[in-house]
């Protein structure tokens, strides 16, 4: 097979087009997190890795609400959380401590999403963590890391412990803190966070009712997790389009509620 090498100017154009695409997709995720009320004012972050050997990332400018994020005001930073281009916006390097650790340790974690939702923080404070009480929560059965609270994430020494606790899981509960998901795309990270938060809301509602809980057999929980991850070949039917269709619907929603996100 003949290897094709792009001219430097063509390679730069391709890289620029890919960065623009990722900027628009990440801005859409920020607007969706705001729309579904998963924000904490200007705090928490969603970061995405840019292609190339430079280890550059896009992240929100510190001080803007998620509903104010656009493709153009996202800040390009390095692995230390410092801007690599001129920007009128401040960046919070401390806020990138968790994200940089995950990005560096997980080549598949192109996008890292962290939230402080009420339901997520409530389950993060419960000793048993997320329980398989519903089909939604079973998506994360055996696929969820836990990291013990060590104070505000300002110490670099915590990074190795954090990535060890995450392992190869797609999501993690930061005890006494919040939720974290990763994805190969911003879309995947968002959908995982949406359903992880939904699972936490279901658990807080079910436990608040005070009734005895029904927990399915572990074998059923594991089967459901495989089915939802597209890893089960034993079921009669398969649905490998669900998440793509859901994301397409969400992009239509963003176009209606925040058409300026691509600015």
């Amino acid at each position: 097979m003949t290897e094709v090498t792009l001219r430097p100017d063509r390679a730069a154009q391709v890289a620029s087009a890919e960065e623009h695409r990722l900027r628009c997709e990440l801005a859409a995720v920020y607007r969706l997190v705001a729309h579904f009320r998963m924000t904490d004012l200007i705090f928490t972050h969603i970061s995405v890795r840019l292609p190339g050997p430079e280890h550059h990332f896009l992240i929100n400018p510190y001080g803007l609400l998620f509903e104010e994020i656009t493709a153009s005001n996202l800040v390009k930073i390095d692995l230390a959380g410092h801007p690599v281009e001129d920007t009128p916006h401040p960046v919070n390097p401390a806020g990138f401590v968790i994200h940089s650790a995950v990005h560096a340790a997980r080549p598949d974690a192109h996008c890292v999403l962290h939230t402080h939702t009420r339901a997520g923080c409530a389950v993060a404070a419960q000793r048993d963590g997320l329980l398989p009480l519903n089909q939604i929560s079973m998506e994360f059965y055996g696929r969820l890391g836990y990291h013990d609270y060590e104070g505000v994430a300002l110490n670099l020494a915590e990074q190795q412990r954090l990535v060890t606790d995450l392992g190869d899981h797609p999501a993690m509960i930061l005890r006494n803190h919040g939720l974290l998901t990763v994805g190969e795309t911003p879309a995947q990270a968002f959908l995982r966070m949406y359903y992880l938060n939904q699972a936490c809301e279901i658990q807080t509602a079910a436990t608040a009712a005070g009734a005895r809980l029904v927990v399915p057999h572990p074998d059923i929980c594991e089967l459901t997790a495989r089915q939802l991850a597209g890893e089960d070949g034993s079921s009669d039917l398969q649905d490998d389009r669900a998440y793509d269709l859901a994301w397409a619907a969400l992009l239509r929603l963003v176009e209606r509620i925040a058409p300026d996100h691509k600015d």
Side-chain angles (χ1 to χ4, degrees), residues 121-188:
C121 290
V123 172
Q126 297 177 357
R127 186 176 300 276
D128 294 331
L130 187 67
L131 303 173
L133 300 180
N134 181 270
Q135 177 171 286
I136 290 176
S137 54
M138 290 180 214
E139 175 181 347
F140 302 97
Y141 185 79
R143 292 155 174 80
L144 189 63
Y146 289 87
H147 177 65
D148 288 339
Y149 189 62
E150 299 186 26
V152 179
L154 299 176
N155 297 310
L156 298 178
E158 184 181 358
Q159 289 184 313
Q160 185 55 55
R161 293 185 291 276
L162 190 146
V163 298
T164 297
D165 291 336
L166 176 62
D168 61 357
H169 297 306
M172 182 163 64
I173 288 181
L174 304 168
R175 294 193 185 277
N176 310 106
H177 186 172
L179 307 177
L180 181 141
T181 60
V182 304
E184 295 184 2
T185 64
Q188 188 178 56

Side-chain angles (χ1 to χ4, degrees), residues 31-129:
R31 297 304 186 93
L32 287 168
V33 171
H35 176 75
F36 288 107
R37 300 181 181 275
M38 292 190 288
T39 63
D40 180 10
L41 298 180
I42 63 170
F43 306 103
T44 76
H45 306 276
I46 314 166
S47 58
V48 67
R49 178 190 290 119
L50 292 172
E54 297 87 359
H55 300 292
H56 289 167
F57 306 85
L58 296 175
I59 200 167
N60 50 315
Y62 194 36
L64 296 189
L65 297 169
F66 282 19
E67 65 188 30
E68 299 177 294
I69 301 300
T70 65
S72 61
N73 66 29
L74 288 163
V75 182
K76 187 188 297 189
I77 59 176
D78 59 21
L79 198 55
H82 300 133
V84 297
E85 295 179 343
D86 290 337
T87 173
H89 302 288
V91 178
N92 180 11
F96 195 54
V97 167
I98 292 174
H99 294 248
S100 62
V102 176
H103 281 302
R106 288 278 299 271
D108 63 314
H110 294 293
C111 184
V112 180
L113 202 169
H114 173 46
T115 63
H116 295 161
T117 65
R118 178 177 297 184
C121 290
V123 172
Q126 297 177 357
R127 186 176 300 276
D128 294 331

